[in-house]
Structures are given as C-alpha cells and as structure tokens.
Amino acid sequence: MKKLLAAVCISVSAVTFAQDYSVPAASPRQKVEQQFSMSKISIDYGRPGVKGRKIFGELVPYGQIWRAGANSSTKITFGQAVNFGGKTVPAGTYGLFIVPTEKEWKVILNKDFQQWGAYTYDPKQDVVDVTVPVSKLADKQEWFEITLNPTDENSGNLVIKWDMAQAEVPLKPSKLDTVIKISDKLKEIKRIESDSAKKS
C-alpha cells in the first residue's frame, strides 16, 4: 500500500512539475506593450540568438524578405492610427517584415500577421514599407530585440537590433494636431477634477 501511495505521489508531482515548467525555447517569445500617445503599441515576436553565427548577409540573406524574428511572424498592434516612418497606418494588427541590405533596411507592415515565418508572405498584402538606415552597434546584441523608445509624449522610435546592426523607424500619431488638442482638453478636465476634489 505504501509503495502504491508513493507511486501516486511521484506521478502527481511529475504532472505538477510538467504544468509549471517547459523545455527552454531556442528563440523565446517576447511581448512588448507600451503607452504611445493616447493609446498603446504592442509587439509579439520571437528572439533568436546569434550563437556564433554570421547573421546579416548569411543566416539572414541580404535582399530577401525576413520575418523580423523567429518562428511565427512578428505582430505589431497600433491602438490608434500612426505615422510610421512618414507613412500613415490605420489602427490594427500587422505582420512586421524586413528586407535587409548592408546599409539600409526596408521595414514592411503586412496585413497577414498570422503566418509562420515569411514562407507565405504576399507583397500584395503590404500596407506600407519604409526604408531606414542601418547603424553599427558598439557592442554585440546577442538576442534579437525590438523596443519602443519614446522621444516625447506623442512620438518615439521603433528600435530593431541584432548582432552588430540597429535600425529605427520614427513613430508619431497620424493626426498630431488633433491628438494634441484632445490631450490638452483631457489635461484641463483632470485639473478641474483635481481642484474640485481639493475644495470638497
């Protein structure tokens, strides 16, 4: 009976362990979400490592479409219409792709954000593409990374870096004047509410 109970306990422990842990992913998935202007931008992408390989020009060939990460395509969601590197993009979710060259990258937003890699990439589904310069990093970026760096309350940069390369796409609201007017009104309402709370 004791042996049976021990076996049951071990089985339960193994199941519990399996539920809490998993085999480490070769290219871990990461989700980034950040306040941007009056809404949010979120990014869901795979993070491959350099692992001693030559990346751009070999693992990621120049002049060919790349999924901007690993495994399923990178997804970027804008909570409001944005100016993406000078071009207007409606609010929504898009697949993020890159065509790299040595000195510049074409960064593409595509309507199909549910594909695996770029194997079924269809340029007819492109919403916009912008070409941005590539700069050389002082230190190697081992794991592919996409970040959002604000420059002020209504603008920022989408920063993409891996190995020794980095590129940035400037972002701002598509109708900045309108956003600023709405923001000013909201700030005024908050001031009124705060003053009212102090008096009561």
Side-chain angles (χ1 to χ4, degrees):
M1 187 67 178
K2 288 181 180 179
K3 289 182 179 179
L4 179 61
L5 284 171
V8 168
C9 288
I10 291 168
S11 297
V12 169
S13 297
V15 169
T16 304
F17 183 86
Q19 289 174 343
D20 292 339
Y21 298 93
S22 59
V23 176
S27 300
R29 202 78 187 169
Q30 179 159 334
K31 292 182 180 179
V32 178
E33 184 176 85
Q34 187 167 302
Q35 178 75 28
F36 175 78
S37 185
M38 298 179 68
S39 62
K40 292 180 181 179
I41 295 175
S42 60
I43 305 164
D44 181 336
Y45 69 105
R47 301 190 65 191
V50 175
K51 300 176 183 177
R53 302 172 292 185
K54 179 172 172 54
I55 302 302
F56 296 104
E58 286 193 13
L59 181 67
V60 178
Y62 287 138
Q64 294 183 28
I65 195 75
W66 173 49
R67 72 187 98 188
N71 303 323
S72 59
S73 62
T74 294
K75 303 171 187 65
I76 184 165
T77 301
F78 301 110
Q80 68 189 75
V82 299
N83 181 306
F84 185 81
K87 298 181 180 180
T88 300
V89 178
T93 301
Y94 304 94
L96 178 68
F97 298 89
I98 294 171
V99 177
T101 65
E102 191 172 358
K103 295 183 178 180
E104 58 187 22
W105 290 353
K106 181 189 284 187
V107 183
I108 301 164
L109 297 180
N110 187 277
K111 290 178 183 176
D112 185 356
F113 57 86
Q114 296 181 314
Q115 58 185 290
W116 180 269
Y119 300 110
T120 59
Y121 167 78
D122 180 0
K124 292 177 183 176
Q125 297 291 311
D126 288 352
V127 178
V128 297
D129 64 74
V130 297
T131 300
V132 294
V134 174
S135 58
K136 188 173 182 179
L137 293 168
D139 299 305
K140 180 181 286 189
Q141 175 71 34
E142 174 64 26
W143 297 94
F144 178 71
E145 183 178 59
I146 303 176
T147 54
L148 295 160
N149 289 342
T151 51
D152 61 40
E153 63 181 15
N154 281 305
S155 63
N157 293 315
L158 178 73
V159 182
I160 305 166
K161 53 187 176 181
W162 196 22
D163 196 10
M164 299 301 294
Q166 173 177 301
E168 299 184 8
V169 180
L171 301 170
K172 60 183 180 181
S174 66
K175 295 182 179 178
L176 184 56
D177 291 345
T178 302
V179 167
I180 290 172
K181 287 177 183 176
I182 294 170
S183 180
D184 287 344
K185 290 293 182 185
L186 290 172
K187 287 175 184 176
E188 185 180 342
I189 290 167
K190 285 188 178 293
R191 280 196 299 270
I192 293 168
E193 287 177 341
S194 178
D195 290 343
S196 177
K198 288 174 184 176
K199 290 175 183 177
S200 60

